[in-house]
Amino acid sequence: YPWDKSSLKSMPVDLQQFEKLDAYALKVNVKNSVEELVTALLKQARTDLEKVRAIWMWICHHIEYDVVGYHNKSQLSSKPIDVLQTGKSICEGYAELFEQMCSIAGIQCMKLSGYSKGYRYKMGQTFTGDSDHAWNAVYLDGRWHLLDSTWGSGAVDDSFTKFTFRYNEFYFLTHPALFINNHFPDNSNWQLLKPTLTLKDFENNMLHNSNFYTLGLLTAEPQTAVIRTVNGKASVSVDCRSATLFKFELKGTDEHGLMTLKKHGMKLDIYPQKTGSHKLQIFAKPSKASEDVYNCVLEYVVECESVDKAMRFPKGLHQPVGPSWFTERQGFLRPSHPDPVIHTNDGRCSLTFTLGKDISVFALLHCDNSSLTEDKRRQHIMQIHRGNQIELKIHLPHAGNFVLKIYAKKKSDPGNYDYVFNYLITCLNTEVKWPAFPQVYSKWAEDYEILEPLSGLLPANRNVQFKLKMHGIAKVLVRADDTHPLTQSRGCWEGTCNTSGCGEVFVMVQENANHSFYSHVLKYEVESQ
């Protein structure tokens, strides 16, 4: 149902104005009679809304769900006085106590019953027989409003043996367009919606629990609980109000999907690697939250009829994939590749970013069944800095699916690099076999640049042209079998070197003309004869 998205409530409510009233209502301790309790509660309440609020707060914090009574209904009384004196009940008792307290306070209130998507609910189930839940409607400001004090008071555990008080503001005067998500009244007029929803739609519709709305999420696609894959793929997207972080689990793991963060939400493509039914859960947390606690906001069943084997991702792929508002916050601006997957046919690609102040970058290439060590794979990435721009040049050692992992730290920080984000790089061309870039030593400054040769493996018995962009140094030598000086012209050091009779070639620099000391900056291998 469309709702104006400005409020989760069915009328304007300022929770800050309720702070004193709420605190007062929690302290009231009267158990003799319902009348006495209401009289005590109303001492601080002037308007009808405040009266309803005081009654609501008291019930939500003083009546616990009776898990024993639920399993043995013959022993159970839902009479308001019994509920008050035992301090426990099931939904029926909560709703009857609420109705009687409102009636004493002079407020019109109805007890409603119907089907609910509560603790026993299984995704995609149908509803038949008697109603399974009770809640209330109250008349305020010339209109009816909905609330559920049972669900406002707390939660029972999965085994239905223990209740925990955990106040939930969401179920107080909930907007009808949101209440219909998990409450279907016996009498459809009490949906307070036009047109009313059919039971079939209620059964098929996606269940958004209260976390979904309280975290500022707005809509989710698809809107049905069961998703069928098309050519091995299923997609889910969520729209939200503010920056939110997401996680997902398909059958308990996040391996078989590609999740990308959007400015106002996220998009997820799922590629199950087995046919059949799979449970998909989506979790979220506000980006400002200090704790690392994600709440489950959506659950789907993914029905997979065929598997797309080509979309088997490397184990090292970390969700979410690709750049986003989150990586921008970490100082990676204006990415040349906004998408999470980079396809390369010739095995080469180049990514650029504008970097925030004082950021040092470290990149790794990961591949599941590569014979190369991590250090060797790292030599297939070259960093080039031009002012506040960074370019990452990548020459893949072979075809396959690679993860490009990007880490960063403050230059002024002596500590370790922190992981920021990753891309998936795919190359299907089996003829691809690029050599590594030359090995770089610590004296190679961040803003130096190799123009040629880019390959770290030089041909044997050849004259090789060198062209290097370096500044602030006195001399540059290339040492092979003998030593070749490079000459400086227009900011570049250029010259040739012959690779005959040697296995390695080094580039060395003299930083100060007054000293005869040279530092190694680059090392090339030479092909064996």
Side-chain angles (χ1 to χ4, degrees):
Y1 271 84
W3 103 97
D4 64 11
K5 299 184 175 58
S6 63
S7 170
L8 304 178
K9 306 287 188 196
S10 52
M11 66 186 285
V13 170
D14 181 350
L15 295 177
Q16 282 176 315
Q17 287 189 341
F18 284 149
E19 277 177 6
K20 273 192 186 142
L21 177 66
D22 289 354
Y24 170 78
L26 297 193
K27 288 199 190 85
V28 171
N29 186 13
V30 176
K31 291 280 171 85
N32 305 332
S33 76
V34 181
E35 286 76 8
E36 271 184 55
L37 171 60
V38 174
T39 308
L41 280 174
L42 296 193
K43 278 183 183 154
Q44 298 280 324
R46 299 183 313 281
T47 64
D48 282 357
L49 173 59
E50 287 176 355
K51 291 174 186 174
V52 169
R53 178 70 178 190
I55 292 167
W56 158 268
M57 283 312 270
W58 193 91
I59 290 179
C60 286
H61 291 84
H62 291 85
I63 306 300
E64 66 174 286
Y65 194 87
D66 187 351
V67 281
V68 178
Y70 174 86
H71 294 293
N72 184 8
K73 295 208 172 61
S74 60
Q75 304 296 309
L76 199 68
S77 164
S78 295
K79 282 196 190 131
I81 185 63
D82 295 339
V83 174
L84 175 64
Q85 288 177 344
T86 59
K88 53 175 67 172
S89 185
I90 58 170
C91 57
E92 200 74 19
Y94 279 88
E96 286 190 21
L97 177 60
F98 203 98
E99 184 182 28
Q100 187 174 5
M101 288 174 77
C102 283
S103 154
I104 294 165
I107 289 158
Q108 268 184 282
C109 177
M110 294 284 291
K111 182 187 109 185
L112 307 176
S113 54
Y115 295 130
S116 72
K117 292 182 178 178
Y119 278 82
R120 294 297 163 93
Y121 171 69
K122 294 272 178 290
M123 254 187 307
Q125 78 172 59
T126 53
F127 291 89
T128 51
D130 294 338
S131 56
D132 61 22
H133 192 48
W135 56 92
N136 297 96
V138 290
Y139 195 76
L140 294 169
D141 283 2
R143 285 188 305 125
W144 286 98
H145 302 268
L146 302 166
L147 43 79
D148 183 341
S149 58
T150 312
W151 288 7
S153 66
V156 288
D157 63 348
D158 291 343
S159 60
F160 223 84
T161 52
K162 183 171 177 284
F163 169 82
T164 309
F165 275 111
R166 192 184 304 128
Y167 176 67
N168 193 337
E169 177 62 47
F170 181 74
Y171 293 106
F172 178 68
L173 310 184
T174 316
H175 196 297
L178 310 183
F179 204 75
I180 192 64
N181 219 315
N182 43 19
H183 293 75
F184 190 85
D186 294 336
N187 174 346
S188 61
N189 292 334
W190 284 110
Q191 293 179 20
L192 307 182
L193 292 168
K194 286 203 168 52
T196 52
L197 195 74
T198 64
L199 179 59
K200 189 96 196 91
D201 284 339
F202 177 72
E203 290 170 343
N204 290 340
N205 276 1
M206 190 60 224
L207 170 62
H208 298 148
N209 60 24
S210 59
N211 284 332
F212 183 90
Y213 296 108
T214 47
L215 282 167
L217 309 187
L218 300 170
T219 54
E221 294 287 335
Q223 291 177 358
T224 51
V226 178
I227 319 174
R228 283 184 170 58
T229 58
V230 177
N231 300 329
K233 171 184 169 182
S235 297
V236 172
S237 64
V238 178
D239 289 337
C240 60
R241 201 175 251 122
S242 56
T244 306
L245 293 167
F246 292 90
K247 284 185 173 179
F248 75 90
E249 284 185 5
L250 182 72
K251 283 188 110 167
T253 157
D254 69 357
E255 279 172 26
H256 307 302
L258 268 184
M259 185 176 79
T260 49
L261 291 182
K262 304 278 177 236
K263 189 139 202 151
H264 295 294
M266 73 92 174
K267 186 175 186 311
L268 171 63
D269 292 331
I270 289 285
Y271 302 90
Q273 294 297 304
K274 281 192 183 141
T275 54
S277 287
H278 307 282
K279 179 169 155 182
L280 170 64
Q281 291 174 296
I282 313 260
F283 305 85
K285 76 167 193 146
S287 69
K288 291 185 180 74
S290 51
E291 301 111 56
D292 196 33
V293 179
Y294 283 78
N295 283 301
C296 184
V297 289
L298 290 169
E299 279 193 21
Y300 288 97
V301 172
V302 179
E303 296 283 357
C304 178
E305 283 143 32
S306 68
V307 169
D308 183 353
K309 287 275 185 245
M311 297 309 277
R312 180 173 282 165
F313 302 122
K315 290 246 187 314
L317 190 66
H318 196 82
Q319 308 290 344
V321 186
S324 65
W325 56 265
F326 181 73
T327 54
E328 261 185 33
R329 282 188 190 177
Q330 316 283 318
F332 289 80
L333 314 169
R334 300 187 194 85
S336 57
H337 293 67
D339 292 329
V341 185
I342 298 169
H343 300 282
T344 164
N345 189 40
D346 72 354
R348 295 183 295 184
C349 59
S350 161
L351 295 82
T352 60
F353 303 93
T354 300
L355 287 182
K357 276 192 182 65
D358 185 38
I359 290 177
S360 178
V361 176
F362 175 77
L364 282 180
L365 211 49
H366 171 88
C367 182
D368 273 355
N369 42 17
S370 175
S371 56
L372 298 175
T373 63
E374 184 181 287
D375 273 352
K376 278 276 177 243
R377 287 197 303 267
R378 224 173 92 202
Q379 270 186 261
H380 286 264
I381 307 169
M382 183 158 73
Q383 282 194 35
I384 302 161
H385 291 258
R386 301 180 189 96
N388 62 354
Q389 276 238 323
I390 183 174
E391 179 185 355
L392 297 176
K393 260 195 206 307
I394 292 144
H395 287 183
L396 297 178
H398 50 76
N401 285 342
F402 291 82
V403 182
L404 174 66
K405 294 193 167 193
I406 298 174
Y407 300 77
K409 75 177 184 79
K410 283 201 168 347
K411 283 180 189 164
S412 48
D413 211 346
N416 294 334
Y417 283 87
D418 289 323
Y419 168 79
V420 182
F421 67 121
N422 57 188
Y423 281 94
L424 177 66
I425 301 177
T426 66
C427 177
L428 300 172
N429 181 354
T430 50
E431 286 170 25
V432 159
K433 195 176 175 214
W434 288 98
F437 291 110
Q439 193 178 330
V440 171
Y441 292 103
S442 60
K443 284 287 186 187
W444 178 263
E446 196 175 66
D447 52 358
Y448 290 178
E449 187 178 339
I450 304 170
L451 298 175
E452 60 180 340
L454 278 178
S455 167
L457 187 62
L458 303 179
N461 305 321
R462 286 275 176 82
N463 280 333
V464 177
Q465 180 70 28
F466 277 77
K467 190 172 182 183
L468 308 170
K469 226 182 206 173
M470 299 190 281
H471 57 81
I473 44 186
K475 280 185 185 170
V476 182
L477 298 180
V478 179
R479 197 184 82 209
D481 199 21
D482 25 334
T483 306
H484 308 265
L486 301 185
T487 53
Q488 192 178 15
S489 78
R490 290 200 296 266
C492 289
W493 292 85
E494 297 181 58
T496 54
C497 150
N498 191 288
T499 58
S500 303
C502 66
E504 297 173 328
V505 172
F506 293 92
V507 177
M508 296 147 67
V509 300
Q510 184 187 29
E511 294 177 66
N512 187 332
N514 301 328
H515 297 279
S516 58
F517 183 73
Y518 280 84
S519 312
H520 286 75
V521 288
L522 296 173
K523 174 184 166 187
Y524 290 83
E525 307 283 334
V526 177
E527 282 177 355
S528 46
Q529 308 282 330

